[in-house]
Amino acid sequence: MPPPDNDTHILICDCQGTMPLDEAGPALRRACPAGAQATELCRSQLGRFEEMLAETAAEGARLTVACTQEAPLFREVAGEKADLLRFVNIRENAGWSDEAASAGPKMAALLAMASAPQSEFEFVTMESRGIALILAADEAGVALGTKLADTLDITVLLRPGAEVMPRSATVFPVWQGRARAAEGYLSAFRVEVDDFAAPLPSSRGALRFGPARDGAVSQADLILDVSGQSALFPPGLRPGYLRADPRDPAAMARLTDEARGMVGTFDKPRFIDFRADLCAHSRSRQTGCTRCLDVCPAGAIAPDGDTVRIDPMICAGCGQCASVCPTGAAGYALPDAPAVAGQLRAGLAAYHKAAGEADPAPVVLFHDGDHGTPLIAACAHLGPGLPARVIPFELNETTRLAPELIAAAMAYGADVAVLTAARPRHDQGALEAALALCAEIGAAIGRAAPRIIATDDPDALARETRDLPRGPVRQARSGFLPPSDKRGLLVTGMAELLRTAPDAPEELPLAPGAPFGAVIVDPDACVLCHACTGACPTGALLDNPEAPQLRFTESACVQCGLCARICPEDAITLRPRISLPAWDQPRRTLHEEAPFACISCGKGFATASAIEAVKARLAGHWMFAGGGESRLDLLEMCEDCRAAEAVKRGFEPHQSS
């Protein structure tokens, strides 16, 4: 069993003297007093690694090694002890920079982040037998099938009208058809085909086909789309759907190589942890929150009764659903938000501990591994490297970045930037909304707005990171412990960001769509029917079993709008805002009335406004106005008295007069 995450030893290396660790040393020693230093750890000093690993194992601890380039070597040497190792890159991220001599606080932050507790995640399994459907418009599709026939079970579907020479031997079937719709994922695709027809064996100059029919169905493990037509799925977002321009030889070669490897069993991360009990999508056939449905680019999310369903086989891992989910029902798991916040807390605490009074405030640069990591490395290898105050933080996808993580970084005393590609793979609407929300809050307290650096150029990255606003290192910051749930982290992060600011407003109005706010109740319209409390998915609206009251916990409100939609009196409106005084009140009363006294026994029940509303609605109903006698006074009686009076009057509720 791995040792506790908080018991970690550190081993750093200056990579044959190419990093000025001696100059950065005081800052490192202040933050990491247990650290050990080497200069050629992967070669002549490999014995030092083995010695420290043995000591670490004997103590039941972990060992963080500040080298990622030689991680395979260290794992091989460690053998069965490899699960005790963690690795962090301080070379490209800090040491190879024209500001390396002052990068000690950043190195301390990187080491602390790597040593912080990590979260675990699950996998889902897909098994491909190699049954491949090639969608083609011409000979290119048949040629592709010929190349892959030794590896895959090929079927080619030619678009109607294609001119293709018949083969001398039928190695794989070639059909005619037009793919009308498709669903599924790697190992489980289903394609609906119109104009489907079989080839005539007597075809001579070109393949000819027999009678066509619509509505045929083809099932496959893979779809190789070289048709040149509109994509069946968003390119790059559906496992097992490979697409290339048949006129691009390089793209066709890449598709061929990739398709050869798509046979066997594949483990895919379950990117999203979903809790249906927290979902605010719908109640009583009224639609509330649709944020995740609106942003999912892969079509992995669908309504499912009062909640939604996220298909882990289809999910592409962009994390936008988790970014916009206000309740925590959808949480990104690779890693989860509380674990990321814990790393930020550890790293920024180490930075502030090591930094001097004159050092500028740190900037957390969120980036991904596919684009950001190699770009930062190129900036270090070929250019000036990152500034000493810019701390790279790798995420699986930058689009999973949510307001709670941005707010946490800012509350811990850092400014925030996000590195993306010039042409990102995923839509960035959710990311931009998260940054805009935090910028709105930051502007109210004089903090630099989080920003996006969208570039593929390492020189541009170097320029833009040096041009970031420079705040004082001692700017207001919190040291709060991250709650273990996503919504708790969102509320706590925002509250701490505001509470630590010297001039924060008590109430901050927000734009519609924000995940915080108040419910405003019109007392003249509300009859305390409590339809809203039954619909509220987060428990923000509550009744009082002891008295006719509507109570509200503002910090729990996600502004889903279900209460306003379901209110029969149209008595509710929403007000997006952050109000710390309101958040500090666990429950406050929005509306209350005295109980209505039963006209027969005097017992309190319902409210006068509710009784009047019901009477107004039923005034013309035959059950209460039948036989020329008004029975509306029955509605002013409690349940027991109403039943007794109905028997006394001979009132049969199931027959009209």
Side-chain angles (χ1 to χ4, degrees):
M1 178 179 293
D5 289 277
N6 57 0
D7 191 1
T8 304
H9 294 180
I10 295 171
L11 187 56
I12 59 178
C13 179
D14 66 11
C15 199
Q16 297 182 319
T18 58
M19 292 188 286
L21 295 186
D22 288 340
E23 297 178 53
L28 283 176
R29 283 191 292 274
R30 285 198 299 273
C32 309
Q37 186 172 326
T39 192
E40 197 177 58
L41 192 61
C42 61
R43 299 294 186 267
S44 63
Q45 295 175 311
L46 188 58
R48 295 192 60 185
F49 165 75
E50 295 177 287
E51 291 173 5
M52 182 165 278
L53 179 62
E55 294 174 8
T56 300
E59 296 177 16
R62 289 189 186 274
L63 178 60
T64 297
V65 182
C67 176
T68 53
Q69 176 178 289
E70 300 299 329
L73 170 64
F74 294 127
R75 288 194 183 97
E76 181 181 354
V77 171
E80 294 181 354
K81 299 185 183 74
D83 61 345
L84 303 180
L85 298 176
R86 286 184 179 167
F87 300 94
V88 59
N89 182 352
I90 66 169
R91 189 179 70 177
E92 282 84 357
N93 286 340
W96 283 3
S97 165
D98 59 4
E99 297 184 14
S102 56
K106 175 161 69 167
M107 293 180 187
L110 293 168
L111 290 165
M113 288 175 178
S115 301
Q118 309 288 314
S119 64
E120 297 181 353
F121 54 90
E122 299 177 355
F123 290 90
V124 294
T125 300
M126 296 181 284
E127 185 172 356
S128 168
R129 298 159 294 171
I131 301 173
L133 176 65
I134 297 178
L135 307 179
D138 51 30
E139 288 278 2
V142 179
L144 176 63
T146 302
K147 291 179 181 178
L148 293 172
D150 61 339
T151 305
L152 305 177
D153 183 350
I154 297 294
T155 298
V156 175
L157 188 66
L158 287 172
R159 200 168 71 231
E163 293 290 327
V164 172
M165 287 288 292
R167 283 348 192 215
S168 56
T170 304
V171 179
F172 49 81
V174 179
W175 305 89
Q176 172 189 282
R178 193 188 315 274
R180 171 165 51 88
E183 61 184 15
Y185 44 85
L186 176 65
S187 78
F189 283 109
R190 183 178 184 276
V191 182
E192 297 179 12
V193 181
D194 288 342
D195 296 321
F196 179 76
L200 298 176
S202 59
S203 299
R204 185 177 181 183
L207 274 180
R208 296 292 178 259
F209 295 87
R213 65 183 178 89
D214 293 341
V217 173
S218 176
Q219 294 180 324
D221 296 328
L222 307 170
I223 299 177
L224 311 181
D225 188 349
V226 294
S227 66
Q229 300 297 295
S230 298
L232 294 175
F233 303 102
L237 298 183
R238 188 64 59 104
Y241 177 66
L242 309 181
R243 178 175 165 82
D245 185 343
R247 299 166 297 180
D248 184 344
M252 292 292 287
R254 288 193 296 270
L255 182 147
T256 303
D257 290 342
E258 188 175 356
R260 291 185 191 280
M262 300 295 284
V263 181
T265 300
F266 301 88
D267 286 333
K268 176 189 175 189
R270 186 185 292 272
F271 295 104
I272 303 298
D273 283 333
F274 183 69
R275 288 188 54 184
D277 60 311
L278 297 179
C279 182
H281 171 59
S282 173
R283 295 294 186 275
S284 303
R285 299 184 180 180
Q286 294 290 325
T287 299
C289 179
T290 62
R291 292 172 171 95
C292 62
L293 292 164
D294 295 338
V295 300
C296 179
I301 307 178
D304 186 22
D306 281 348
T307 73
V308 299
R309 180 181 66 258
I310 301 178
D311 191 330
M313 301 296 192
I314 296 175
C315 173
C318 70
Q320 295 186 76
C321 58
S323 174
V324 300
C325 179
T327 66
Y332 205 76
L334 197 65
D336 62 29
V340 174
Q343 290 177 277
L344 291 170
R345 180 177 184 268
L348 292 171
Y351 185 98
H352 292 300
K353 180 180 179 181
E357 292 288 341
D359 289 330
V363 178
V364 175
L365 180 66
F366 292 105
H367 65 91
D368 64 12
D370 292 338
H371 171 263
T373 298
L375 190 63
I376 291 169
C379 185
H381 282 266
L382 306 174
L386 293 178
R389 66 194 180 101
V390 175
I391 306 171
F393 193 106
E394 182 177 323
L395 299 171
N396 188 56
E397 294 282 357
T398 54
T399 43
R400 63 83 38 107
L401 193 59
E404 61 266 18
L405 295 180
I406 303 169
M410 295 175 69
Y412 291 137
D415 295 327
V416 171
V418 185
L419 174 59
T420 70
R423 298 182 65 182
R425 184 165 71 107
H426 299 299
D427 179 82
Q428 299 205 125
L431 172 61
E432 291 168 354
L435 294 173
L437 174 62
C438 293
E440 189 175 2
I441 296 169
I445 57 175
R447 292 289 297 274
R451 57 169 294 184
I452 291 177
I453 299 175
T455 183
D456 303 331
D457 181 357
D459 292 332
L461 173 62
R463 287 194 305 271
E464 294 204 41
T465 51
R466 278 160 176 75
D467 289 341
L468 291 170
R470 300 171 70 89
V473 72
R474 300 303 174 193
Q475 64 188 10
R477 62 180 184 269
S478 172
F480 73 94
L481 285 169
S484 60
D485 64 293
K486 183 178 182 294
R487 176 68 185 185
L489 176 60
L490 177 62
V491 172
T492 303
M494 292 291 182
E496 289 297 308
L497 178 59
L498 289 170
R499 286 193 176 106
T500 53
D503 299 317
E506 285 196 348
E507 179 176 331
L508 180 62
L510 299 175
F516 311 108
V519 166
I520 308 301
V521 174
D522 181 354
D524 295 329
C526 177
V527 299
L528 289 173
C529 67
H530 293 301
C532 56
T533 63
C536 181
T538 66
L541 287 168
L542 298 166
D543 63 358
N544 184 349
E546 306 299 327
Q549 290 181 337
L550 177 61
R551 298 183 295 177
F552 181 55
T553 302
E554 185 158 330
S555 60
C557 179
V558 299
Q559 298 282 286
C560 66
L562 278 168
C563 56
R565 292 185 182 92
I566 212 164
C567 177
E569 311 299 335
D570 294 325
I572 293 177
T573 56
L574 304 180
R575 180 184 294 169
R577 70 175 186 179
I578 292 179
S579 171
L580 293 185
W583 282 9
D584 288 337
Q585 297 182 44
R587 289 176 188 168
R588 58 189 173 92
T589 300
L590 297 182
H591 183 50
E592 62 183 332
E593 292 186 32
F596 181 84
C598 171
I599 60 174
S600 179
C601 70
K603 181 175 69 175
F605 78 104
T607 64
S609 60
I611 298 298
E612 290 304 317
V614 173
K615 287 173 64 177
R617 285 187 171 87
L618 297 179
H621 196 280
W622 64 263
M623 187 182 296
F624 292 93
E629 176 189 3
S630 174
R631 298 162 175 163
L632 288 175
D633 60 331
L634 291 173
L635 298 174
E636 298 178 351
M637 300 179 186
C638 68
E639 185 176 356
D640 293 339
C641 294
R642 190 182 311 129
E645 187 66 17
V647 172
K648 179 180 177 181
R649 298 187 192 182
F651 174 35
E652 173 53 61
H654 301 294
Q655 296 180 1
S656 69
S657 303

